[in-house]
Amino acid sequence: MVIGRNKYFTGKEITSAICNSKYIDEKSLKTLLQECREKLMTARNKRIRALLDDKIILGWNALMNTACSKAFEATGNEQYRQMAINNMRFLFEKFAINNTSEFHHTWKNDKAKYPAFLDDYAFLIQALIQLYETTSDTNWLLKAKEITAYVIDHFSETETGFFYFTKENQPDIIVRKKEIYDSAVPSGNSVMAYNLYKLSVFFDLPDWKRRSTDMISSIAKVITRYPTSFGVWNCLLMEIISGTSEIAIVGQNAGEVHKKLLQEFIPHRILMASLTGENAFPLLRG
């Protein structure tokens, strides 16, 4: 549709107007346009093509993985959950270094490159927590805990409790920076603070909860003064203030109840489901 002065013109009206003005039929006009396209394509193919940036990035895939899990929760569409599972398996297969908690940042042409950044790890842990709540497969939750321990060991700034963007002893880094602003994507520090808080509830880890609350307490004034630059931080602050609903579903119909409960909007909650209960997790113990 083309907008003219005080009037909207459809494609059919434009075609008809051109045919009338050039005294040709519609079929002849389509033939002429196709010949023009071919000539343009021939000329364009002589130019140097722009480079294609098609590398696969760990952190961006993790963000999409979280979105798939949330889409399943909202709609009950099994395709979204399966997409999240398949993608997570791909990330561990292609990005993990020697089946450890250390990851690469990018993957292309069956080759992974560059050490992963804090954002990559933070978004991956977030996706694993979300995927656990979507599937009730505790393996995802245990992996989230393992990777979080790795981040604490290799990215921590001990003086403040925040995390550097790059890991320790990375040879190509002159100065290690810290990011706390939630801009186009959330900051690695805000997501890690949330991950620490969530996992501290899942596994009853008071030290991780204390670190999370200390991080947010140290910047509480600035995040409340400029909330649009600290969205994730403020969501965590709201949860700390209002409290977290700890929901455990145990029994033979746990899967059915779990799926229904996922579709309910319950802010500030963690959700665990099991057929028999598991002693490894405080919420399912006994």
Side-chain angles (χ1 to χ4, degrees), residues 47-93:
R47 301 173 61 183
I48 298 174
R49 288 182 176 270
L51 295 176
L52 178 63
D53 186 1
D54 59 350
K55 63 181 178 291
I56 298 173
I57 299 176
L58 175 59
W60 292 2
N61 271 262
L63 286 171
M64 188 65 201
N65 197 290
T66 298
C68 288
S69 292
K70 290 186 175 181
F72 167 76
E73 292 183 8
T75 65
N77 187 334
E78 182 62 34
Q79 287 184 324
Y80 291 125
R81 176 161 64 178
Q82 194 57 51
M83 188 182 300
I85 294 171
N86 293 342
N87 176 255
M88 188 61 73
R89 289 172 179 166
F90 169 82
L91 297 181
F92 273 86
E93 178 185 350

Side-chain angles (χ1 to χ4, degrees), residues 14-212:
I14 294 170
T15 300
S16 178
I18 294 173
C19 290
N20 291 335
S21 65
K22 300 297 181 182
Y23 303 104
I24 59 175
D25 56 44
E26 187 173 334
K27 184 178 180 180
S28 299
L29 177 61
K30 289 182 178 180
T31 301
L32 177 62
L33 290 173
Q34 181 59 32
E35 291 174 355
C36 293
R37 294 189 193 100
E38 290 173 359
K39 288 181 180 180
L40 285 172
M41 179 61 73
T42 300
R44 193 174 77 170
N45 286 337
K46 295 177 182 178
R47 301 173 61 183
I48 298 174
R49 288 182 176 270
L51 295 176
L52 178 63
D53 186 1
D54 59 350
K55 63 181 178 291
I56 298 173
I57 299 176
L58 175 59
W60 292 2
N61 271 262
L63 286 171
M64 188 65 201
N65 197 290
T66 298
C68 288
S69 292
K70 290 186 175 181
F72 167 76
E73 292 183 8
T75 65
N77 187 334
E78 182 62 34
Q79 287 184 324
Y80 291 125
R81 176 161 64 178
Q82 194 57 51
M83 188 182 300
I85 294 171
N86 293 342
N87 176 255
M88 188 61 73
R89 289 172 179 166
F90 169 82
L91 297 181
F92 273 86
E93 178 185 350
K94 302 299 184 180
F95 287 84
I97 300 176
N98 299 324
N99 294 318
T100 65
S101 295
E102 185 178 5
F103 286 77
H104 284 110
H105 173 59
T106 65
W107 182 87
K108 180 180 177 180
N109 296 332
D110 207 27
K111 187 174 182 180
K113 292 183 178 181
Y114 315 118
F117 300 112
L118 175 65
D119 290 12
D120 295 308
Y121 286 104
F123 299 155
L124 179 61
I125 295 165
Q126 179 188 53
L128 286 165
I129 295 172
Q130 194 69 47
L131 187 57
Y132 163 71
E133 292 204 343
T134 302
T135 63
S136 295
D137 184 346
T138 55
N139 288 319
W140 301 124
L141 195 58
L142 292 170
K143 289 182 184 297
K145 182 183 178 185
E146 292 171 6
I147 298 171
T148 300
Y150 177 86
V151 173
I152 291 173
D153 289 341
H154 296 280
F155 286 80
S156 290
E157 183 188 38
T158 54
E159 294 81 5
T160 64
F162 284 85
F163 297 94
Y164 288 109
F165 186 68
T166 53
K167 72 174 185 177
E168 61 184 2
N169 301 325
Q170 189 167 327
D172 58 339
I173 300 298
I174 300 174
V175 178
R176 299 175 75 192
K177 66 176 183 177
K178 298 190 301 291
E179 294 285 353
I180 63 171
Y181 294 99
D182 296 322
S183 53
V185 294
S187 73
N189 269 290
S190 66
V191 177
M192 276 306 303
Y194 223 134
N195 292 338
L196 286 167
Y197 181 83
K198 289 278 190 180
L199 291 171
S200 75
V201 181
F202 276 116
F203 291 99
D204 190 19
L205 299 170
D207 287 344
W208 286 14
K209 179 177 286 187
R210 189 179 307 111
R211 180 165 184 169
S212 174

